[in-house]
Amino acid sequence: GNPLAPNGESENAVWDSDFWAVYHLAEEGDGTSNEFKDSTSNRIHGRGGSGDSDKTPERVLCDFGYGQIFDGNDFIELALSDELKMSPTYTVSAWFKTTEAPGERGTILHTGRSTDLQTANHYFWYQNDNANFWAATGGWIYRTNKAMSTDTWYYMTGKHEGAGGDIKMYLNGSLVDSEPIPSNAYTGWTHKSNLGSDNMTRYFFDGTICEARFSATERSDAWIKFEYENMADPTSVMSWGEEQGT
């Protein structure tokens, strides 16, 4: 690169202001408050095991830098914040791979009410070789409809388009399921959010999570596809020219 180019790094800046929270999950945790950093200016940081080092995931090298390996007993509790009250339109995503397909539900990410879990929830889980997206008022479940392999990276995205729209699930940048949003859907509850378990610290995930993102908008299909390609195979969506002179 050009050694005279100014440093353009901004540790709190992400692509746009519609991101509620972005977790790169590159930290080494031990249960300390605010140890897993939200890269947005909202600073909705996370704490391993809610302060218990034995329930804090371990940092591991993954295909995209670092991630966190969850051993079926670990979780990250995210700080309570009004920004993570789901708006009528939103998009959530995460990279993950599982080391063992659990018979019980293994939760990748969950935000929702801390009581009455059947009424208002938005979360991803992996169960019996299927990825699932459950959103809002009781029981909208979306599966990939194809076998998924252990020890393989997947990029999962859930999108909620708001009143009159659809709820959609994407896997590796491609749409796999879509259904109309029922009229009784609602958002904006007293909430709590976790990575690696549900927000009542059950249904633990056994595998690795690398990069989790929450957006307060419905991302386009092209955006979702680009986010996948940009990490899975950047050369497929970007090309590089010759170094420019000073």
Side-chain angles (χ1 to χ4, degrees):
N2 184 350
L4 300 180
N7 182 1
E9 179 182 13
S10 175
E11 64 178 21
N12 292 320
V14 290
W15 289 347
D16 63 32
S17 60
D18 285 322
F19 280 112
W20 277 316
V22 174
Y23 301 95
H24 300 308
L25 301 177
E27 297 83 4
E28 292 184 336
D30 60 7
T32 302
S33 293
N34 300 324
E35 59 191 348
F36 293 101
K37 301 301 183 184
D38 168 19
S39 293
T40 76
S41 60
N42 293 322
R43 299 181 180 275
I44 310 171
H45 303 317
R47 184 180 192 181
S50 193
D52 186 341
S53 61
D54 291 335
K55 295 183 178 180
T56 298
E58 181 181 353
R59 185 175 80 161
V60 293
L61 193 64
C62 64
D63 290 1
F64 323 105
Y66 288 102
Q68 300 292 321
I69 188 167
F70 296 76
D71 66 3
N73 189 51
D74 300 330
F75 66 97
I76 297 173
E77 182 180 64
L78 306 183
L80 293 176
S81 173
D82 284 345
E83 280 77 11
L84 284 185
K85 286 183 178 179
M86 290 303 191
S87 70
T89 60
Y90 67 87
T91 308
V92 290
S93 65
W95 280 91
F96 74 95
K97 69 176 178 180
T98 183
T99 52
E100 181 178 356
E104 286 287 332
R105 182 163 64 235
T107 307
I108 299 164
L109 63 84
H110 181 203
T111 186
R113 295 177 67 167
S114 55
T115 60
D116 193 10
L117 291 182
Q118 295 302 314
T119 20
N121 289 276
H122 301 246
Y123 57 106
F124 292 155
W125 76 85
Y126 183 89
Q127 184 176 21
N128 298 331
D129 293 331
N130 283 289
N132 300 263
F133 176 38
W134 183 323
T137 309
W140 305 344
I141 304 174
Y142 300 90
R143 291 184 169 82
T144 60
N145 297 317
K146 68 174 184 178
M148 299 176 67
S149 302
T150 58
D151 204 33
T152 299
W153 284 106
Y154 294 98
Y155 177 62
M156 188 171 175
T157 303
K159 181 165 69 172
H160 188 285
E161 295 181 336
D166 293 332
I167 181 170
K168 297 180 178 180
M169 176 180 156
Y170 300 76
L171 196 66
N172 292 347
S174 297
L175 181 67
V176 295
D177 208 343
S178 175
E179 291 193 18
I181 295 172
S183 59
N184 64 340
Y186 67 98
T187 56
W189 52 86
T190 302
H191 60 285
K192 187 178 178 183
S193 306
N194 279 9
L195 300 176
S197 76
D198 77 352
N199 65 13
M200 295 182 72
T201 59
R202 308 173 304 175
Y203 307 126
F204 295 97
F205 182 66
D206 195 343
T208 306
I209 303 173
C210 175
E211 193 82 14
R213 300 177 179 183
F214 298 78
S215 296
T217 189
E218 53 179 282
R219 300 296 187 184
S220 68
D221 287 3
W223 176 289
I224 293 168
K225 183 69 172 178
F226 180 85
E227 280 198 321
Y228 166 68
E229 296 289 357
N230 186 43
M231 294 187 73
D233 183 13
T235 60
S236 69
V237 290
M238 292 185 288
S239 60
W240 308 97
E242 297 291 329
E243 179 181 352
Q244 300 297 304
T246 60

